[in-house]
Amino acid sequence: MANLFFSRLHIATSRDTADKVDFLLIGLRNDARTDFREFLYKFFDTEVVEFDGKEFISGQLVKYNPADIERVVDESEQKIVDEDVKNKVVGMSRFIIDASSSIVMFMEVPNVISRETFVNRFTELFKKNYDDYFIELSITPIKEQYSFIETIRKFRAVKQISITLFPSNPNFADRWKVIDERLRNNHITKYKETQENNISGQNIHIDEETENKFLMAEDGYGESHASGIDENGNERTISTKDEVKHISKQIPPDMDKITDVLLVIAETLQTIVNRTQ
């Protein structure tokens, strides 16, 4: 089985995004390519699929080697020889985007395309395809609800908190509606906050407003980090970027039809969408 991870797209641009599907398709063209550690990356097989009355965009982030050597049999010479192979595919990470909720679901390819690699290469390629426009693009994981708050509540002392938030589009939850409206009303595309306490014997009090910001980050609209002393007395830092609690759904690796994949993940996707209705 393969894991499909749920994250959220955040885009800030001066370009008109009224038709979000068309806007995304331009950024997902296979015109651009990017390189990292001697490998190349490109988008392929991008298409729009209708499912349950909504439009989804699917595609592949492909990692390939521009120059490789394969051992092959030369039957005429009756020996094994090395043969040059150009643009050999190393791995393909499928992704599906729910345009209406800006949720992107992508497959991690163990030891080939990690979650961090997918996010970094995806954003690079998207921006390159929009090279004549200012585009601010980021992808944040969607966490199991309350997982970050439940962990930080077990800390004996919290010494530092950092929060980054992005306005929704708008799909807010009741707990962080006021925060989201303030960001959008004040035209804030990225909000950052740091809380610190360096006095021995004291720790940061986490109030309701801070908890609501944690929840907004868990819903995929930002990131939260906290450092302090955990329940075992050890110094520890936790983050909504941590791999644990990142919502995912297992799908058969040989399931090629996108509508079949959407059937498997439909319930999980709807649960996430309902959190911000």
Side-chain angles (χ1 to χ4, degrees):
M1 302 292 280
N3 273 327
L4 206 64
F5 290 90
F6 292 72
S7 294
R8 205 177 293 273
L9 283 169
H10 310 283
I11 301 170
T13 178
S14 58
R15 185 181 171 92
D16 180 18
T17 60
D19 191 328
K20 189 181 286 187
V21 171
D22 283 349
F23 175 81
L24 290 171
L25 286 174
I26 294 174
L28 297 171
R29 294 176 303 185
N30 67 352
D31 295 356
R33 72 177 189 182
T34 187
D35 62 280
F36 183 70
R37 293 181 179 173
E38 299 181 0
F39 292 100
L40 297 175
Y41 295 81
K42 221 176 188 189
F43 292 131
F44 285 94
D45 302 332
T46 303
E47 62 176 332
V48 178
V49 178
E50 289 193 10
F51 178 82
D52 198 23
K54 294 200 299 184
E55 287 186 315
F56 293 83
I57 301 172
S58 72
Q60 301 270 11
L61 174 66
V62 178
K63 176 181 180 180
Y64 58 103
N65 194 337
D68 200 359
I69 295 177
E70 288 279 351
R71 307 214 78 184
V72 299
V73 172
D74 185 336
E75 291 189 332
S76 63
E77 297 292 332
Q78 294 298 309
K79 60 182 181 180
I80 299 172
V81 298
D82 291 332
E83 186 173 287
D84 292 332
V85 178
K86 291 184 178 180
N87 299 330
K88 178 184 176 181
V89 173
V90 178
M92 299 189 297
S93 177
R94 168 183 282 168
F95 61 86
I96 302 172
I97 300 173
D98 177 1
S100 62
S101 63
S102 296
I103 294 174
V104 56
M105 300 146 278
F106 64 89
M107 189 182 298
E108 181 180 50
V109 185
N111 303 315
V112 180
I113 303 177
S114 67
R115 273 171 271 179
E116 182 181 12
T117 297
F118 178 91
V119 168
N120 291 338
R121 304 292 86 77
F122 185 100
T123 54
E124 287 172 7
L125 288 169
F126 196 95
K127 290 178 182 178
K128 282 189 174 183
N129 278 323
Y130 269 109
D131 60 354
D132 58 335
Y133 288 95
F134 173 77
I135 296 284
E136 186 79 27
L137 174 70
S138 59
I139 299 174
T140 52
I142 299 174
K143 315 299 285 190
E144 291 183 16
Q145 206 163 22
Y146 295 102
S147 61
F148 187 86
I149 293 176
E150 288 171 356
T151 302
I152 200 171
R153 279 176 177 165
K154 297 176 184 176
F155 273 40
R156 295 182 185 177
V158 179
K159 304 303 290 184
Q160 184 180 67
I161 293 170
S162 63
I163 300 170
T164 301
L165 298 176
F166 303 93
S168 75
N169 52 344
N171 285 308
F172 52 79
D174 288 341
R175 284 284 302 266
W176 46 265
K177 174 183 177 181
V178 173
I179 298 168
D180 182 51
E181 287 179 338
R182 176 178 173 267
L183 296 182
R184 286 186 281 111
N185 291 339
N186 293 341
H187 307 292
I188 298 170
T189 58
K190 181 188 288 188
Y191 169 87
K192 289 189 176 184
E193 173 185 317
T194 301
Q195 303 178 22
E196 292 184 355
N197 185 316
N198 297 318
I199 300 176
S200 178
Q202 293 186 2
N203 66 290
I204 298 171
H205 169 68
I206 300 173
D207 58 17
E208 185 178 358
E209 181 180 345
T210 300
E211 279 198 355
N212 291 342
K213 291 173 181 176
F214 289 159
L215 287 173
M216 188 171 178
E218 284 185 344
D219 282 333
Y221 290 103
E223 298 172 7
S224 297
H225 305 260
S227 301
I229 307 301
D230 67 13
E231 68 269 31
N232 299 315
N234 300 316
E235 291 187 2
R236 185 181 174 192
T237 299
I238 62 172
S239 169
T240 50
K241 293 184 72 175
D242 292 343
E243 293 187 1
V244 293
K245 304 293 186 180
H246 188 172
I247 294 179
S248 64
K249 182 70 176 178
Q250 286 192 328
I251 61 170
D254 57 348
M255 185 175 282
D256 295 325
K257 197 173 180 181
I258 300 301
T259 50
D260 290 343
V261 176
L262 287 169
L263 277 171
V264 172
I265 66 174
E267 185 177 349
T268 302
L269 177 60
Q270 190 59 50
T271 299
I272 296 171
V273 171
N274 288 345
R275 280 164 53 169
T276 55
Q277 284 287 313

